[in-house]
Amino acid sequence: MKIIYLLLGLLSLTNILFAQGPPIYTDTPILLGLDGRGIRTFGKFISKENVNVYAQPLAVPINLGVDFQVGAIAPYMVISPKNKQSVSGFGDISVFAKYVFQQSDGPGKTIRTLIKFMETFPTGSTTKMPQIGSGVNQTYLGLVSGIINLKYALYGELGYSFVSDNTPDNFIYAASVGIPLLPQKYPPHQINIYFGFNGSYEFEVKKNVLYLSPGIQYIAGKKVLLETGVQLPVIEDVTSGFKTNYVFTFGLRVLLY
Amino acid sequence: MLKKNIYSLFIVILLSVYLFSMITNAQTEIDKSGKKYVRVDVDGLACPFCAYGLEKKLLGIDGADNFNANIDSAYATLTVPAKSKVTKDEIKQIVKDAGFSATEVLFSDQPFKK
């Protein structure tokens, strides 16, 4: 059960990975940019009371059309409990699909909404302690929406994660606002700052987890984007010993061609 | 009187030479460049990092070059060979395939003012 909290906490990480551009901690309804020809390296260091987790996902997003994307993700994880030996390996593999069903464009602005489906399979090892895998199937269905213009961008996500084996389901919610600090131009040379929150709520056991998620992003040209951020727990109804101190994220996105 | 006529004639010749040289220069410029300039007004272009996808798609037009996007004014420019047969509708479709909406496409023998 404890590992479930860890893995569900990593859900926002998949949002980062599959986002085709900004923002950092929320998903985006814009399926542009990488077009399936990019590399993203993203590291996430999670500091908890009795354990540290480092996750480095490997992901393959493929655009099957301008409004349809599929992909798979396999996170490599290192879990280091205090006073115990570290365990590492690939965690649960996920496949996902996104479909943009609403798009409203204007000069310098766009409003888009997509539906997201993600299935996570219990492929991660559960034979060692601590477990790398969750041991359960997770089916996520969500809506991602964004209002993006030249002065600011608002992103939001609502979703529900159905978890197998009598493990509580999760309601997922996230929102963020991004503000560019430099004039918009192309090729891009931009610094964006983000403020947002990410949370999940278990209806059955009435447990809530909420993080504040500020971040900063530097777009160094057409093909390179650097970003970093921190997530700080505001509400965290989890088992004692697994409370989060902070989550530190750093990443690089590179378009190959 | 004669002096005045000579002076007027001189001015006319000077102006004619100047106008002729301007026209000749302009024609030489067009002939030398062999380019057609394209301007596409693009709606939805709110993210400069995303404009790279638009650049890739538009530069897929045979012989297309010199892409630039003006994010603030919501348009993109590029050049295609003067003999290119690409149509406005084809360019609009390319922009749509890139995930944006093209509202107007303009062709010109001269570069568009920025």
Side-chain angles (χ1 to χ4, degrees):
Chain A
M1 176 63 89
K2 291 170 183 173
I3 197 71
I4 295 288
Y5 289 115
L6 277 177
L7 293 170
L8 290 176
L10 287 171
L11 189 64
S12 61
L13 181 142
T14 60
N15 296 339
I16 295 160
L17 233 107
F18 300 138
Q20 294 281 3
I24 301 173
Y25 286 113
T26 318
D27 206 349
T28 175
I30 298 183
L31 304 181
L32 303 173
L34 286 183
D35 209 15
R37 299 186 194 104
I39 285 180
R40 295 177 189 182
T41 62
F42 230 97
K44 194 161 192 171
F45 180 77
I46 304 167
S47 168
K48 289 184 175 281
E49 285 175 321
N50 291 333
V51 63
N52 291 327
V53 180
Y54 179 78
Q56 184 78 46
L58 299 173
V60 183
I62 300 167
N63 282 7
L64 296 181
V66 69
D67 51 11
F68 190 52
Q69 185 185 71
V70 295
I73 175 171
Y76 187 81
M77 296 167 67
V78 180
I79 302 178
S80 308
K82 284 175 183 166
N83 305 320
K84 284 185 183 176
Q85 201 171 2
S86 295
V87 175
S88 61
F90 279 99
D92 295 345
I93 291 175
S94 301
V95 294
F96 71 94
K98 290 177 178 179
Y99 176 69
V100 179
F101 65 88
Q102 180 273 327
Q103 178 173 343
S104 174
D105 291 337
K109 61 185 176 186
T110 187
I111 301 171
R112 301 181 192 203
T113 308
L114 62 77
I115 188 165
K116 181 167 82 172
F117 169 81
M118 184 160 63
E119 182 68 29
T120 303
F121 304 98
T123 54
S125 171
T126 54
T127 55
K128 294 177 185 174
M129 289 302 291
Q131 298 177 3
I132 292 287
S134 66
V136 293
N137 282 293
Q138 296 168 60
T139 304
Y140 176 78
L141 198 60
L143 285 175
V144 178
S145 193
I147 301 170
I148 302 115
N149 61 41
L150 299 177
K151 293 184 176 172
Y152 64 87
L154 295 171
Y155 302 92
E157 176 168 5
L158 294 175
Y160 197 84
S161 185
F162 302 90
V163 187
S164 68
D165 294 346
N166 296 320
T167 305
D169 295 346
N170 280 262
F171 172 68
I172 307 290
Y173 57 98
S176 72
V177 56
I179 299 165
L181 299 183
L182 301 176
Q184 300 281 20
K185 63 175 186 175
Y186 190 80
H189 180 75
Q190 185 59 269
I191 296 172
N192 295 313
I193 53 170
Y194 288 92
F195 301 97
F197 60 83
N198 301 75
S200 66
Y201 184 79
E202 294 177 9
F203 285 107
E204 293 168 36
V205 290
K206 294 180 180 172
K207 286 185 175 178
N208 195 15
V209 175
L210 176 64
Y211 297 105
L212 280 183
S213 312
I216 188 164
Q217 190 174 65
Y218 174 55
I219 302 175
K222 293 178 188 176
K223 297 182 178 182
V224 181
L225 188 154
L226 298 157
E227 54 197 350
T228 187
V230 65
Q231 290 182 291
L232 304 168
V234 180
I235 304 168
E236 200 170 35
D237 303 325
V238 299
T239 314
S240 179
F242 279 82
K243 286 190 183 296
T244 304
N245 299 316
Y246 62 88
V247 180
F248 175 68
T249 308
F250 58 95
L252 169 71
R253 312 183 197 198
V254 181
L255 304 181
L256 288 178
Y257 59 92
Chain B
M1 186 67 177
L2 182 64
K3 194 178 175 185
K4 195 178 177 184
N5 282 342
I6 289 171
Y7 187 71
S8 301
L9 187 65
F10 179 74
I11 296 289
V12 168
I13 290 170
L14 201 64
L15 276 172
S16 303
V17 168
Y18 177 68
L19 285 172
F20 182 74
S21 73
M22 274 186 67
I23 292 164
T24 310
N25 279 343
Q27 281 178 343
T28 307
E29 218 170 78
I30 293 166
D31 292 342
K32 274 185 182 174
S33 69
K35 293 173 190 169
K36 194 155 50 175
Y37 296 86
V38 184
R39 173 182 157 142
V40 194
D41 290 354
V42 184
D43 278 0
L45 193 59
C47 158
F49 198 58
C50 304
Y52 183 61
L54 180 66
E55 177 178 353
K56 282 193 296 181
K57 295 278 187 189
L58 284 172
L59 291 185
I61 298 170
D62 199 23
D65 201 2
N66 301 309
F67 175 90
N68 194 28
N70 188 321
I71 306 293
D72 274 337
S73 301
Y75 70 84
T77 56
L78 66 150
T79 59
V80 295
K83 292 178 182 176
S84 174
K85 290 180 180 174
V86 68
T87 65
K88 291 182 178 182
D89 284 343
E90 285 169 343
I91 289 175
K92 283 185 177 181
Q93 186 59 47
I94 290 167
V95 172
K96 190 178 177 186
D97 292 343
F100 303 100
S101 310
T103 52
E104 190 171 7
V105 179
L106 300 171
F107 290 110
S108 172
D109 290 332
Q110 300 290 326
F112 291 97
K113 287 179 183 175
K114 290 184 179 176

